[in-house]
Amino acid sequence: MRRVACGTRESNEEYLCELISSQVHFGLTYVGQARSAYENGKGEHGEIARTIAVNAYSTANRFASRLTERTRDARLNGIEALRVQIESVWPNTTFAREIAS
């Protein structure tokens, strides 16, 4: 399980870090599920997994926006890793979604 590194902070920050970690793990799991579905010719299942993965990425970003220190914070590395994995399967997916938000 890939975890977002959290330092000792206020309890609210710790909870946000845990929520971010959970969403990142959830999203990475569904990226893997989508890859498997596509490889097995189950495009519909892959698209469902895609939706879940992108939603997990979006949710992790929303939680991250509530952190006190957001810029270049090590806690956010997991979100970037999730974005990279999503983009490796569906190029420009997260970029297009961020513009639309």
Side-chain angles (χ1 to χ4, degrees):
M1 175 176 174
R2 182 175 294 228
R3 295 186 57 91
V4 177
C6 290
T8 304
R9 297 226 179 234
E10 302 172 12
S11 61
N12 186 46
E13 298 265 317
E14 281 300 313
Y15 289 125
L16 286 172
C17 286
E18 288 301 315
L19 289 168
I20 292 167
S21 292
S22 295
Q23 289 300 308
V24 166
H25 179 68
F26 194 66
L28 289 170
T29 299
Y30 274 91
V31 169
Q33 177 62 33
R35 287 178 198 263
S36 176
Y38 291 135
E39 288 172 2
N40 291 304
K42 298 182 179 182
E44 184 177 329
H45 290 100
E47 287 302 305
I48 292 168
R50 171 191 178 275
T51 299
I52 294 169
V54 171
N55 284 340
Y57 171 77
S58 178
T59 301
N61 273 318
R62 276 195 310 274
F63 290 142
S65 72
R66 294 170 48 193
L67 290 170
T68 304
E69 297 177 22
R70 294 183 297 230
T71 308
R72 298 181 189 230
D73 192 316
R75 290 177 281 200
L76 307 180
N77 292 342
I79 297 172
E80 178 64 13
L82 176 55
R83 185 193 65 75
V84 167
Q85 288 302 307
I86 290 171
E87 293 289 331
S88 74
V89 179
W90 307 282
N92 299 318
T93 296
T94 56
F95 177 72
R97 185 175 181 101
E98 289 169 359
I99 289 174
S101 295

